[in-house]
Amino acid sequence: QVQLVESGGGLVQAGGSLRLSCAASGRTFSRIGMGWFRQAPGKEREFVAAISFSGGSTYYADSVKGRFTISRENGKKTVWLQMNSLKPEDTGVYYCAGARSPQAVGHAYEYDSWGQGTQVTVSS
């Protein structure tokens, strides 16, 4: 497992951009897939994006495809989520997560490390 700390959330107008960061500690970071999930008020946590251990493979939810980009730098033990063309429905708490495997995977049960989350609010 790795320890994860998210940052970069905030309030932005619709159409704007935000960049989330996830700083990891632990020796296994470079060997595991990483992902971002989000949870809106009153809704279940949902998958947003994932990246494989090397960064060579990425996977996105249909709702963010073409607007969000996930990336990582293993030397810095950091994962980013660049969010463009934000919509009010993107509002929620965004969580960084570390996978049980090296692949880019899309189900919460496939992750065993979670950050505490960062709030993203998109106003209309």
Side-chain angles (χ1 to χ4, degrees):
Q1 290 188 346
V2 293
Q3 292 72 50
L4 304 170
V5 178
E6 303 96 334
S7 62
L11 173 64
V12 64
Q13 288 188 334
S17 297
L18 280 175
R19 189 190 196 201
L20 305 184
S21 298
C22 173
S25 59
R27 293 177 293 174
T28 63
F29 177 80
S30 63
R31 301 197 296 270
I32 62 173
M34 296 293 296
W36 287 94
F37 289 75
R38 67 187 181 189
Q39 188 167 17
K43 294 188 177 182
E44 293 187 355
R45 191 172 298 189
E46 65 173 357
F47 169 74
V48 175
I51 190 166
S52 63
F53 75 103
S54 66
S57 178
T58 57
Y59 176 38
Y60 296 94
D62 287 344
S63 59
V64 306
K65 204 171 293 184
R67 300 188 297 123
F68 291 12
T69 302
I70 187 171
S71 60
R72 68 187 295 165
E73 185 169 336
N74 288 342
K76 294 184 177 181
K77 293 187 178 180
T78 302
V79 178
W80 297 275
L81 184 67
Q82 177 67 43
M83 306 186 295
N84 298 330
S85 302
L86 283 161
K87 304 175 182 180
E89 51 263 44
D90 294 317
T91 294
V93 178
Y94 281 68
Y95 298 91
C96 177
R100 303 178 192 273
S101 73
Q103 287 80 32
V105 291
H107 297 284
Y109 66 79
E110 295 175 293
Y111 291 82
D112 61 0
S113 300
W114 294 86
Q116 293 187 326
T118 185
Q119 177 70 45
V120 171
T121 304
V122 184
S123 63
S124 57

